[in-house]
Amino acid sequence: MLELLGGLFSLLFQPSPKLQPLQATNWSPWLDPVWVKSAVAPSPDPVAQLALQQHLAALAGMGLPTSNQAVWMQTGHQVLVAHQGEIPLPAASLTKVATTLAALVKWGHAHQFETVFSTNAPIQDGVLQGDLIVQGGGDPLFVWEEAIAVGNTLSQAGIRQIKGNLVVTGNFAMNFETDPFTAGNALKQALNASLWNGEVETQYQKLPPGTPRPQIEILGGVQVGSTKPASIRILRHQSLPMVDLLKAMNIYSNNVMSEMMADSVGGAAAVARQVTELTQIPPSEIQIINGSGLGTENRLSPRAVTTMLIATQRYLQARKLTIADIYPVIGRDGGTLEGRQTPRSTVVKTGTLNEVSALAGVLPTRDRGPVWFTIINLGAGNLDSFHNQQDLLLTRVQQSWGDDTLVAIQPTDQGNEELKRYGTMLRNQLLSQ
């Protein structure tokens, strides 16, 4: 038994290999080459094989052909079962698994995007005599609460009125609106509580009691692009750390966030190239046209998705983090997991499009340890039926292998919770007064 358990846990709990610097392109040392070779010739586990057959039979009974379904399960180096595991199929938001890994590699787990607020005129008696210039840095989660905190920090700098315009430059988005004019108008509204509507007020109520309401009046309008060069930097706002951005992105499967993340890496082609080099999976199994998974042209094989998840765990494990720090966990998180009957403590990523339903992650079991899986179901039908069959497949294998929360991959306690709160002023730094 000890020998068996040692084999099952070998991938996740062996000492982490020495990693190359982040700018390197050969990331294959993260994966044991033995696993990559063993993945080519799976030897089915009887329990997994039976559960797969039941899964395919149930879908066939709904008029969905087995040729449109794909499953991959493995633990450690051992592939437990595979059905069309190497065939790239429309994977919907499982594409975000590639985006997530590429963003981690590009930026690192602790990276924070910066938004800088500057001006081209002096501040006199609380009045900024020119424009307030926003230089966006690609923060994908700049929302009402963050803008309110910026307004309160600007108020601390003594600013109560801006005589000129609000000028938006760089890559600035707000409330998942990437159009700079729309984002700029939302920021202008957030900075002045007298302009708030019910939506802003609702988000304000989520802030700690007693949080000030900013009252910064902007006399001009919103302008996009060029203005007089900014000569005075006022404030630097930092986003949530990368792991927290990715967690929010994946819990809600936010398409705007994932597109911004992919763009920060260099676009969909760069994401595909990065993860292909990392996993050593054939490029034919990783075909993506964007970072979100919108569109059936995004195709991934179940093997590729599973491999990317394992690579992500290995990357995070070397930094004393886990995959549960960036993906939702059944029983702990909501978002796209609402209403699911997936076994508790499973770390998952969902994917949904018209006629596409997918689920991938890692399932804790007693006899097989952490079981990594990817399920892709294609066909017209009720999404709840797909969800039920996916959850039932995982429940069946866990009931046979046993549930063991001791092997469940849990989020880590990273501390600094206040720094991670939406709307905290601790991530704002005044640069000049």
Side-chain angles (χ1 to χ4, degrees):
M1 177 61 74
L2 290 177
E3 181 181 355
L4 173 62
L5 289 176
L8 294 174
F9 285 86
S10 59
L11 180 62
L12 294 179
F13 296 97
Q14 62 182 306
S16 299
K18 182 177 181 181
L19 301 180
Q20 300 296 320
L22 284 178
Q23 66 268 24
T25 57
N26 179 16
W27 296 96
S28 57
W30 287 2
L31 289 178
D32 190 326
V34 174
W35 177 82
V36 177
K37 294 178 181 178
S38 69
V40 178
S43 52
D45 178 280
V47 168
Q49 186 72 14
L50 176 60
L52 171 63
Q53 291 171 352
Q54 293 171 321
H55 177 73
L56 296 176
L59 294 173
M62 297 161 54
L64 302 171
T66 59
S67 59
N68 285 352
Q69 321 309 327
V71 175
W72 183 278
M73 282 189 182
Q74 73 169 83
T75 183
H77 304 307
Q78 181 186 3
V79 178
L80 299 171
V81 74
H83 173 73
Q84 300 205 118
E86 300 167 33
I87 306 299
L89 296 173
S93 284
L94 294 192
T95 304
K96 294 181 177 73
V97 173
T99 302
T100 296
L101 178 56
L104 280 174
V105 171
K106 170 72 173 181
W107 297 110
H109 69 286
H111 178 76
Q112 293 173 275
F113 296 98
E114 292 188 350
T115 304
V116 177
F117 294 79
S118 306
T119 186
N120 50 23
I123 302 170
Q124 297 176 352
D125 299 324
V127 178
L128 195 159
Q129 299 297 317
D131 299 327
L132 178 64
I133 303 166
V134 184
Q135 176 69 42
D139 182 355
L141 196 55
F142 191 89
V143 290
W144 290 120
E145 299 95 318
E146 301 288 276
I148 290 170
V150 165
N152 286 329
T153 306
L154 290 173
S155 296
Q156 287 185 350
I159 298 174
R160 55 180 176 80
Q161 187 181 81
I162 295 165
K163 202 169 183 179
N165 298 313
L166 176 63
V167 180
V168 179
T169 64
N171 183 12
F172 179 70
M174 181 169 168
N175 298 331
F176 317 117
E177 294 287 350
T178 57
D179 175 74
F181 186 77
T182 303
N185 274 292
L187 176 60
K188 180 180 178 181
Q189 181 181 12
L191 296 180
N192 187 352
S194 67
L195 302 178
W196 288 2
N197 57 19
E199 180 183 346
V200 190
E201 183 66 33
T202 296
Q203 298 309 117
Y204 170 79
Q205 293 299 328
K206 297 178 182 179
L207 298 174
T211 297
R213 297 169 179 261
Q215 299 282 348
I216 299 178
E217 181 184 20
I218 300 177
L219 299 182
V222 173
Q223 177 182 323
V224 177
S226 61
T227 184
K228 293 180 182 179
S231 58
I232 305 172
R233 298 208 309 166
I234 303 172
L235 181 153
R236 177 172 57 231
H237 168 80
Q238 292 184 309
S239 73
L240 291 169
M242 178 61 72
V243 290
D244 299 290
L245 292 174
L246 293 173
K247 180 84 170 188
M249 180 186 88
N250 287 318
I251 285 178
Y252 299 101
S253 205
N254 189 293
N255 293 324
V256 174
M257 291 185 69
S258 58
E259 294 291 2
M260 292 184 69
M261 283 292 186
D263 288 344
S264 77
V265 173
V271 170
R273 184 171 58 253
Q274 185 83 288
V275 298
T276 299
E277 292 174 354
L278 165 60
T279 62
Q280 299 296 294
I281 291 292
S284 61
E285 295 185 35
I286 302 175
Q287 305 173 21
I288 60 176
I289 64 167
N290 55 45
S292 64
L294 288 173
T296 55
E297 299 87 348
N298 293 290
R299 292 172 173 262
L300 299 168
S301 73
R303 174 172 73 163
V305 176
T306 305
T307 307
M308 288 187 287
L309 288 171
I310 294 172
T312 302
Q313 169 66 6
R314 295 293 299 278
Y315 174 91
L316 292 168
Q317 186 180 15
R319 290 153 180 80
K320 302 186 186 306
L321 299 167
T322 76
I323 200 169
D325 290 314
I326 61 172
Y327 284 104
V329 181
I330 298 292
R332 297 178 64 105
D333 301 307
T336 64
L337 306 187
E338 295 291 346
R340 297 296 300 244
Q341 299 299 313
T342 314
R344 288 180 63 86
S345 300
T346 306
V347 183
V348 299
K349 179 69 193 81
T350 61
T352 304
L353 285 174
N354 289 333
E355 302 190 8
V356 180
S357 180
L359 186 70
V362 56
L363 171 75
T365 74
R366 181 193 62 224
D367 297 339
R368 296 293 184 270
V371 173
W372 299 84
F373 66 88
T374 299
I375 308 167
I376 300 177
N377 299 132
L378 306 181
N382 188 312
L383 284 176
D384 287 339
S385 297
F386 285 126
H387 294 171
N388 291 340
Q389 290 303 318
Q390 293 161 4
D391 295 343
L392 186 57
L393 170 58
L394 297 176
T395 299
R396 281 172 172 155
V397 295
Q398 192 188 63
Q399 286 176 343
S400 295
W401 293 329
D403 181 8
D404 191 345
T405 56
L406 293 178
V407 302
I409 299 177
Q410 301 287 352
T412 61
D413 181 6
Q414 302 171 46
N416 298 320
E417 290 304 312
E418 177 60 21
L419 284 172
K420 300 179 181 183
R421 179 178 62 79
Y422 291 0
T424 181
M425 293 174 62
L426 295 181
R427 287 185 278 104
N428 295 334
Q429 180 184 1
L430 287 173
L431 303 176
S432 62
Q433 298 191 46

